[in-house]
């Protein structure tokens, strides 16, 4: 018996007009016992020990287009048909569920192939609906089956639709052809338009076209509704992309940004201002991806862009569609990929300027949304889509293709995925990791099938697309490919991590922090599904809460950030922990990393959009870049460390390494030691204890050196760790017998570990070192040790232009408009040059 509910599988409805279906067709961490590998100290209880599974043929999600076939066997009992059962045998108990949803997906895709010419063609809806030019005619189409009469009105006909009445087909699609006048479109570019229709009660209403590409509002009128604007600029005014998409990185380092609040002035910033002023900062901090919030038009600014009113329109507060294209192209020129925060989980309930205006009391089969309680999100105060409807699928899938094709976005972050996955929308749910919570009558299979179609489409259109799911439930196989039986996302956000940090910062003294608790939170994920880790995003600093730096230092950020005076204990602690928390989250928490705009330098206070409750103030809705640009303020140290830790991944690619071993979680000494790739990370969270000769386990034998040190003076530290010290390993126990090793590691070395510091060590390639020494000796040139170095002006506390870590000052050619320090890995070959 199938343990879920949904609408029936789609079947075409006969029609004399056309042969196609009509409207109305149809964790906890979630890890179970399949978790990321970590080798933990033997003294821990078994419930806290994890290890790699013995066998897994495929460890990471593969884009759909790289698979060899698009057909999947779903007959029989299904136990041997889907690869996900081999990845996680516990899923086989829910084979009925997976067989059913896979059949629903295949049936829906086959129906689209048959009646629309394929999924890719189906997703070109924006070229058929809305206003488009066909030769010397403007064609307007709108799906509004509940309307009994309709007109197109606007500036072009003085808002008199009597001469522009529309015709309705058997599927509820209204259309009209308007011939050009004197060789020019009858509907001028940048003119206002609306869809006027009469519903069954005889009342005429005006609505913004659902597929409109631009919408504006008269800012001089308080509470004025938005107007739809026909956007079809002449060729001379269209932006032409000049740069190719950057290649997909092995691991995304994502900079989450909000365009409107990205400027320092108390006003809404523009796309071009962001492109020219902020993108160079992002590139200078060694991020490889920028994620843009609030791009889709939303009439309520304080919704952070999540109450979308016009899905195909760029937010006009920050400029025009051509301005946004300039931004994306500028990002690509800097080597930055661009993701868009897309909202397909719900829609604004606004009637006059939103999609909800097309709901006039009709049945759900004739609406974008469900009716009754199922169509309303009681916590978000918004409308919920009916993902089984044919035209809803067209609308949403076309929306994705529109942003990818027209604006060259490289992928998406899907907002509110948990709400989409379940009929209860995640409301009042506490997910424990029991698989029955994920695969049951509560599963919204209509939405799951939509997301499978969406992920298949995006990876078919752009094999290197990056698609991230915001899911707090931890549903298994959300981030496995569709062909394997998954939903098809590339990454999920590790949303439990910031909650752990906030709990510690608000409720626990430093000595109460649990090292095993931190490690478990950071590693508690399904090893076969990739995660994006973050210590704080926009969510953690919206009104009612604070940025992490402000939680740490509070009012001292107003008085104690000057570098012209000694740091107070509170500021010293705050800067140290700000660096440590973000770095251990990045290094241990996932397969990618995300930071919200400004948090890289410890932006103070919180975010509060202009609203009646704050007298419409923009004071907390901006980014104070001058704080990090002012040389005598300590914000520069946190920013410098952010640059360096991103540079470390750029050099060593530890985020994309599957090797992750936690070998030491010392509760007494407050130390965590782990390996990621071949790097060894040592975090000392103790507030005042220095450990001289602390023993660290490692995998590779040889000689280790410091490659990154949070205590370096250039990062606002105290310079207590020597960077020119060689640490030689000692073999531990019997080779090949882990239980005889030190913390299950075959080698060890000893280090100095000051309090509240994190230091990273790399294993020196001694053969290469000897060869380089010989070359350097023959040329009588000196050599320096390898570590993350800085190309910048001298740091306070240094002399003769030499950086405090022992590095040398090197003039850097600034080609990206970056401000601050440029970090590089100083190798022997570089030093020789």
């Amino acid at each position: 018996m199938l343990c879920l509910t949904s609408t029936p599988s789609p079947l075409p409805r006969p029609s004399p007009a056309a042969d196609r279906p009509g409207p109305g067709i149809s964790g906890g961490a979630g890890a179970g016992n399949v978790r990321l590998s970590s080798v933990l100290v033997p003294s821990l209880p078994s419930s806290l020990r994890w290890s790699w599974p013995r066998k897994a043929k495929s460890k990471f999600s593969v884009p759909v287009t790289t698979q060899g076939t698009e057909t999947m066997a779903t007959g029989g009992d299904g136990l041997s048909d889907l690869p996900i059962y081999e990845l996680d045998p516990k899923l086989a108990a829910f084979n009925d569920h997976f067989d059913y949803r896979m059949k629903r997906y295949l049936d829906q895709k086959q129906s689209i192939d048959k009646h629309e010419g394929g999924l890719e063609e189906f997703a070109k809806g924006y070229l058929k609906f809305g206003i488009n030019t066909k030769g010397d005619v403007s064609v307007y189409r709108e799906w509004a089956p509940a309307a009994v009469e309709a007109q197109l009105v606007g500036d072009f006909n003085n808002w008199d639709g009597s001469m522009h009445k529309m015709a309705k087909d058997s599927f509820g699609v209204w259309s009209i052809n308007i011939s050009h006048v004197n060789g020019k479109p009858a509907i001028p570019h940048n003119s206002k338009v609306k869809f006027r229709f009469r519903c069954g009660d005889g009342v005429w209403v005006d609505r913004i076209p659902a597929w409109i590409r631009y919408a504006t509002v008269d800012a001089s009128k308080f509470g004025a509704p938005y107007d739809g604007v026909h956007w079809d600029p002449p060729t001379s005014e269209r932006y032409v992309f000049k740069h190719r998409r950057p290649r997909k990185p092995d691991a995304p380092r994502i900079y989450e940004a909000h365009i409107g609040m990205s400027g320092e002035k108390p006003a809404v910033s523009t796309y071009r201002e962001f492109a020219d002023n902020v993108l160079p900062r992002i590139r200078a901090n060694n991020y490889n991806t920028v994620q843009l919030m609030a791009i889709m038009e939303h009439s309520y600014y304080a919704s952070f862009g999540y109450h979308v009113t016009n899905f195909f329109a760029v937010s006009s507060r920050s400029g025009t569609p051509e301005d946004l294209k300039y931004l994306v192209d500028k990002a690509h020129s800097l080597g930055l990929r661009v993701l868009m925060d897309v909202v397909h989980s719900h829609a604004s309930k606004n009637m006059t300027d939103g999609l909800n205006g097309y709901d006039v009391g009709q049945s759900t089969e004739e609406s974008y949304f469900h009716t009754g309680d199922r169509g309303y999100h009681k916590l978000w105060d918004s409308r919920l889509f009916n993902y089984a409807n044919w035209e809803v699928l067209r609308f949403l899938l076309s929306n994705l293709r529109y942003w990818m094709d027209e604006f060259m976005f490289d992928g998406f972050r899907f907002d509110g995925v948990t709400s989409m996955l379940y009929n209860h929308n995640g409301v009042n749910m506490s997910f424990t990791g029991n698989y029955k919570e994920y695969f049951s009558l509560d599963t919204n299979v209509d939405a799951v099938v939509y997301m499978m179609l969406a992920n298949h489409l995006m990876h078919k259109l752009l094999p290197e697309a990056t698609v991230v799911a915001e899911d707090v439930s931890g549903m298994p196989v959300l981030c496995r490919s569709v062909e394997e039986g998954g939903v098809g996302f590339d990454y999920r956000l590790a949303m439990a991590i910031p909650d752990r940090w906030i709990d510690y910062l608000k409720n626990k003294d430093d000595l109460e922090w649990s090292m095993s608790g931190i490690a478990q939170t950071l590693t508690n994920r399904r090893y076969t599904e990739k995660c994006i880790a973050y210590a704080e995003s926009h969510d953690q600093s919206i009104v009612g809460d604070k940025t992490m730096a402000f939680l740490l230092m509070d009012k001292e950020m107003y008085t104690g950030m000057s570098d012209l005076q000694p740091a107070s204990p509170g500021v010293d602690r705050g800067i140290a922990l700000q660096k440590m928390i973000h770095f251990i989250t990045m290094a241990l928490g996932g397969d990618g990393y995300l930071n919200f705009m400004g948090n890289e330098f410890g932006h103070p206070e919180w975010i509060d959009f202009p609203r009646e409750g704050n007298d419409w103030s923009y004071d907390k809705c901006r980014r104070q870049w001058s704080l990090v640009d002012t040389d005598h303020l300590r914000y520069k140290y946190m920013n410098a460390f952010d640059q360096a830790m991103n540079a470390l991944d750029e050099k060593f690619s530890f985020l994309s390494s599957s090797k992750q071993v936690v070998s030491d979680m010392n509760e007494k000494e407050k130390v965590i030691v782990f390996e990621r790739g071949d790097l060894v990370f040592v975090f000392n969270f103790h507030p005042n204890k220095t450990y001289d000769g602390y023993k660290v386990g490692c995998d590779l034998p040889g000689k280790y050196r410091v490659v990154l040190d949070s205590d370096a003076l250039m990062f606002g530290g105290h310079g207590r760790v020597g960077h020119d010290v060689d640490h030689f390993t000692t073999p531990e126990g019997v080779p090949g017998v882990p239980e005889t090793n030190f913390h299950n590691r075959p080698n060890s070395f000893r280090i100095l570990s000051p309090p509240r510091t994190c230091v990273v060590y790399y294993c020196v390639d001694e053969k290469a070192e000897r060869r380089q020494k010989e070359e350097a000796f023959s040329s009588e040139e000196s050599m320096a040790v390898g570590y993350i170095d800085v190309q910048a002006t001298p740091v306070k506390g240094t002399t003769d232009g030499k950086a405090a870590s022992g590095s040398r000052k090197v003039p850097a050619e600034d080609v990206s408009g970056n401000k601050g320090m440029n970090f590089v890995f100083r190798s022997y070959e570089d030093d020789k040059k």
Side-chain angles (χ1 to χ4, degrees), residues 77-391:
D77 59 11
L79 291 175
S80 61
D81 299 324
L82 297 176
I84 56 173
Y85 301 145
E86 184 175 352
L87 289 169
D88 183 358
K90 290 176 62 177
L91 294 173
F94 302 90
N95 65 300
D96 281 349
H97 171 97
F98 288 104
D99 282 356
Y100 176 68
R101 86 179 190 188
M102 187 60 72
K103 185 178 187 304
R104 282 286 314 283
Y105 163 76
L106 290 172
D107 286 349
Q108 185 74 78
K109 186 174 180 298
Q110 183 181 25
S111 188
I112 291 172
D113 290 344
K114 177 181 178 181
H115 300 289
E116 298 283 354
L119 192 62
E120 294 171 69
E121 189 66 26
F122 185 54
K124 291 181 180 178
Y126 63 92
L127 298 177
K128 301 175 183 178
F129 286 77
I131 302 174
N132 291 283
T133 299
K134 302 289 184 182
D136 58 356
V137 174
S138 294
V139 182
Y140 173 54
R141 291 190 182 95
E142 196 74 70
W143 182 61
V148 296
E149 192 175 355
Q151 305 170 352
L152 178 63
V153 298
D155 292 337
F156 77 99
N157 61 10
N158 292 318
W159 302 93
D160 180 0
S162 59
M163 299 300 295
H164 294 95
K165 296 180 179 181
M166 303 178 68
K168 180 182 182 181
D169 70 13
S170 59
F171 303 108
V173 176
W174 294 86
S175 62
I176 185 173
N177 295 347
I178 305 176
S179 298
H180 289 190
V181 178
N182 298 324
K184 294 182 180 181
I187 308 173
H189 162 63
N190 209 19
S191 64
K192 297 177 181 178
V193 292
K194 283 194 175 181
F195 176 62
R196 176 173 292 169
F197 68 94
R198 181 173 63 84
C199 46
D201 60 5
V203 177
W204 285 86
V205 294
D206 289 358
R207 297 291 185 254
I208 293 178
W211 299 72
I212 200 74
R213 301 184 188 184
Y214 198 48
T216 60
V217 66
D218 185 348
S220 65
K221 297 180 180 179
F222 181 80
Y226 274 67
D227 292 306
V229 174
H230 176 52
W231 192 260
D232 186 25
T235 302
S236 60
E237 297 178 18
R238 294 176 184 268
Y239 186 85
V240 178
F241 285 90
K242 305 175 182 63
H243 303 279
R244 293 182 178 181
R245 303 177 190 266
R247 73 167 186 85
K248 185 175 183 177
D250 293 332
R253 300 187 298 273
I254 301 172
Y255 193 90
E256 184 185 37
H258 185 285
I259 304 297
M261 59 172 288
S262 64
E264 183 144 5
K265 295 180 180 178
V268 178
S269 190
T270 70
Y271 298 120
R272 289 184 176 267
E273 288 171 342
F274 182 90
D276 295 337
N277 301 329
V278 182
L279 283 179
R281 294 178 181 271
I282 299 171
R283 179 66 270 181
N285 272 51
N286 298 306
Y287 290 91
N288 55 32
T289 306
V290 58
Q291 178 180 298
L292 300 180
M293 304 173 59
I295 295 299
M296 304 160 83
E297 188 60 87
H298 49 290
S299 63
Y300 184 43
Y301 191 39
S303 73
F304 233 136
Y306 291 121
H307 278 213
V308 175
T309 45
N310 311 109
F311 284 75
F312 289 83
V314 306
S315 178
S316 59
R317 291 181 183 85
S318 295
T320 69
E322 311 313 304
D323 295 333
L324 178 59
K325 292 175 183 178
Y326 170 80
L327 185 162
V328 175
D329 200 28
K330 179 67 175 290
H332 286 168
S333 75
L334 296 174
L336 292 167
R337 285 165 61 86
V338 187
L339 307 183
M340 183 176 132
D341 201 343
V342 69
V343 186
H344 283 181
S345 51
H346 64 129
S348 168
K349 71 173 186 178
N350 285 21
M351 296 290 291
T352 56
D353 50 17
L355 196 61
N356 192 35
Y358 287 81
D359 188 340
V360 289
Q362 69 269 38
S363 67
T364 186
E365 290 79 15
E366 296 184 332
S367 174
Y368 287 99
F369 309 107
H370 283 292
T371 57
D373 290 342
R374 194 179 180 192
Y376 176 73
H377 199 296
K378 59 184 179 182
L379 294 185
W380 296 345
D381 192 26
S382 56
R383 297 303 309 273
L384 298 175
F385 287 105
N386 179 358
Y387 301 102
N389 270 0
W390 190 268
E391 294 302 330

Side-chain angles (χ1 to χ4, degrees), residues 471-731:
D471 170 43
V472 72
S473 75
M475 174 181 274
V477 301
L478 183 70
C479 299
R480 296 303 302 186
S481 72
V482 173
E483 291 185 354
E484 293 174 302
V487 183
F489 289 99
D490 298 302
Y491 297 88
R492 63 156 40 95
L493 292 177
M495 301 181 70
I497 294 175
D499 293 340
R500 167 72 72 174
W501 292 124
I502 290 173
D503 176 52
Y504 276 21
L505 292 175
K506 289 184 175 182
N507 303 316
K508 296 183 183 297
D509 294 332
D510 292 1
L511 289 175
E512 294 178 323
W513 289 20
S514 168
M515 301 299 100
S516 60
I518 291 172
Q520 183 176 11
T521 298
L522 293 173
T523 59
N524 185 18
R525 59 189 187 270
R526 299 177 61 83
Y527 85 97
T528 57
E529 300 181 48
K530 295 182 181 181
C531 287
I532 302 294
Y534 61 102
E536 53 181 337
S537 68
H538 66 275
D539 283 332
Q540 279 65 52
S541 56
I542 56 178
V543 62
D545 218 320
K546 304 174 182 178
T547 64
M548 187 166 288
F550 208 57
L551 280 174
L552 285 162
M553 294 175 273
D554 206 65
K555 62 183 179 182
E556 288 197 70
M557 297 194 79
Y558 297 122
T559 59
M561 297 301 286
S562 173
D563 205 22
L564 302 178
Q565 61 189 21
S568 68
V571 168
D572 190 62
R573 169 186 178 268
I575 292 177
L577 288 179
Q578 167 86 0
K579 293 181 291 185
M580 294 180 71
I581 289 171
H582 285 80
F583 191 33
I584 196 172
T585 298
M586 176 193 195
L588 194 58
D591 310 280
Y593 176 68
L594 179 143
N595 169 74
F596 179 67
M597 177 176 64
N599 291 341
E600 70 275 11
F601 64 84
H603 200 286
E605 302 177 325
W606 54 89
I607 299 170
D608 190 6
F609 282 80
R611 54 190 174 85
E612 186 176 5
N614 64 13
D615 293 328
W616 307 103
S617 170
Y618 284 85
D619 183 62
K620 299 295 187 294
C621 191
R622 60 193 180 105
R623 295 290 88 176
Q624 299 181 56
W625 302 109
S626 59
L627 296 176
V628 70
D629 292 342
T630 303
D631 188 61
H632 70 268
L633 295 181
R634 290 189 167 89
Y635 297 96
K636 64 182 180 183
Y637 295 132
M638 291 176 280
N639 190 67
F641 189 73
D642 183 78
Q643 292 175 330
M645 69 186 201
N646 283 324
L648 184 70
D649 180 61
E650 187 72 24
K651 172 65 181 179
F652 289 96
S653 301
F654 62 86
L655 275 175
S656 59
S657 174
S658 60
K659 179 183 177 183
Q660 177 168 309
V661 181
V662 178
S663 60
D664 187 10
M665 296 178 295
N666 194 318
E667 298 292 359
K668 179 180 179 182
E669 310 297 355
K670 299 300 177 188
V671 172
I672 298 176
V673 179
F674 62 90
E675 293 161 73
R676 189 74 187 267
D678 291 329
L679 297 177
V680 178
F681 297 74
V682 182
F683 285 76
N684 180 356
F685 282 94
H686 203 286
N688 49 51
K689 281 191 177 181
T690 296
Y691 306 111
D692 192 356
Y694 193 89
K695 192 174 181 180
V696 174
C698 63
D699 181 19
L700 301 177
K703 179 169 59 179
Y704 285 79
R705 288 185 181 142
V706 172
V707 69
L708 181 59
D709 169 23
S710 70
D711 197 46
L713 295 179
M714 71 177 75
F715 305 133
H718 300 282
R720 293 164 289 189
V721 177
H723 297 170
D724 56 353
V725 177
D726 292 331
H727 304 271
F728 294 92
T729 61
T730 301

Side-chain angles (χ1 to χ4, degrees), residues 35-61:
R35 294 183 177 174
L36 184 76
S37 72
S38 299
V39 179
L40 305 184
V41 290
S43 59
L44 284 174
S46 59
S47 62
L48 291 183
R49 299 178 193 166
W50 307 296
S51 62
W52 290 99
R54 294 180 181 272
K55 180 180 180 182
K57 289 186 178 180
S58 176
K59 294 168 65 176
F60 296 117
S61 179

